[in-house]
Amino acid sequence: KTSLTGMVQISSLIIFSPVFLLILLSKKSIIYFGDHMFTVKYENNNAYITVPNGIDLPHTLDCGQAFRWEENLIVEEYVKGREFSVGVIEGKALPIIEIAPVQGFYDYKNKYKAGSAVETCPAELSEAVTEKMQHYAEQVAQVLGLDTYSRTDFLLDENENIYCLEANTLPGMTPTSLLPQEAQVVGVNFNELCEKLIQISLDKYEK
């Protein structure tokens, strides 16, 4: 039997279906409907669509582009705010990292193109907001059975309301990925982090 790091399969399956868990959602595209902005997300796919400003919701849905990837869509009111991510290892939250796109919002291009976003860790937040967001990340991990490591993304609006966007059951694990950056802040370098996650997983499978 091969031991793997990360979550049990059922946790990943639940998270990748926002119909069952609406707070855990994937890539997004902002569209306009009158004076309001909306976010279009997919039920089971990481794909997203880019819609030019000024195109309204009915037109976008009717033209068929919104259904390019899937038959089911989730349409929500767009929340404007700062974006953060919180890694959790064995139920304990790491320092919060803020992701600030240089232009636009944090879409696929800004996520993977070098220099498109500024990542700050620890994030510049009040102690109260920091503790609350870390607590939420720990709760998400607990509820979903993410008992090894995970990463949960949040939005914080201008009134300091916190919105959970999604949970990642297998966060990026390169030296410059978000979770390793968070671990570095508490003195855990990349090699140590990898060894720690492997050991946690080995211990779990030996039980």
Side-chain angles (χ1 to χ4, degrees):
K1 182 174 68 173
T2 302
S3 299
L4 303 174
T5 63
M7 309 304 110
V8 295
Q9 186 180 33
I10 187 63
S11 297
S12 293
L13 291 175
I14 291 173
I15 288 171
F16 274 100
S17 183
V19 166
F20 295 104
L21 195 62
L22 198 55
I23 65 168
L24 303 176
L25 299 162
S26 60
K27 300 291 189 300
K28 49 191 175 288
S29 174
I30 300 172
I31 61 177
Y32 292 82
F33 183 36
D35 295 329
H36 301 281
M37 299 171 67
F38 289 83
T39 301
V40 175
K41 304 170 184 177
Y42 296 89
E43 181 183 0
N44 297 303
N45 197 310
N46 282 336
Y48 64 95
I49 57 173
T50 301
V51 181
N53 293 354
I55 293 182
D56 62 27
L57 179 60
H59 173 80
T60 301
L61 298 182
D62 290 343
C63 74
Q65 182 182 1
F67 296 96
R68 177 180 178 185
W69 304 107
E70 290 188 9
E71 294 182 358
N72 299 319
L73 298 174
I74 297 172
V75 179
E76 298 178 304
E77 183 177 357
Y78 170 66
V79 177
K80 182 179 180 180
R82 298 161 63 190
E83 187 156 351
F84 302 88
S85 190
V86 187
V88 176
I89 299 177
E90 283 194 300
K92 179 65 176 178
L94 292 168
I96 301 170
I97 189 168
E98 179 173 6
I99 309 101
V102 176
Q103 293 182 335
F105 64 101
Y106 196 48
D107 58 7
Y108 187 90
K109 177 181 178 182
N110 284 331
K111 183 175 183 178
Y112 291 107
K113 184 178 179 180
S116 295
V118 177
E119 297 164 353
T120 305
C121 187
E124 297 179 0
L125 294 168
S126 69
E127 183 177 348
V129 172
T130 296
E131 291 180 355
K132 184 181 293 186
M133 193 176 295
Q134 288 178 318
H135 176 64
Y136 287 162
E138 291 171 352
Q139 283 189 313
V140 169
Q142 180 181 6
V143 169
L144 295 174
L146 312 180
D147 55 359
T148 305
Y149 67 107
S150 62
R151 201 194 72 233
T152 302
D153 300 335
F154 297 92
L155 280 178
L156 182 73
D157 70 14
E158 59 184 6
N159 297 316
E160 295 194 337
N161 296 309
I162 299 173
Y163 298 83
C164 181
L165 292 178
E166 65 178 358
N168 192 326
T169 61
L170 289 173
M173 282 297 296
T174 70
T176 58
S177 295
L178 299 179
L179 190 144
Q181 288 188 62
E182 296 174 42
Q184 184 69 53
V185 171
V186 292
V188 180
N189 65 39
F190 183 67
N191 289 339
E192 292 170 338
L193 176 62
C194 291
E195 291 177 1
K196 179 180 179 67
L197 297 179
I198 291 170
Q199 189 59 55
I200 292 171
S201 299
L202 288 173
D203 292 343
K204 180 174 64 175
Y205 283 102
E206 289 175 355
K207 292 180 180 179

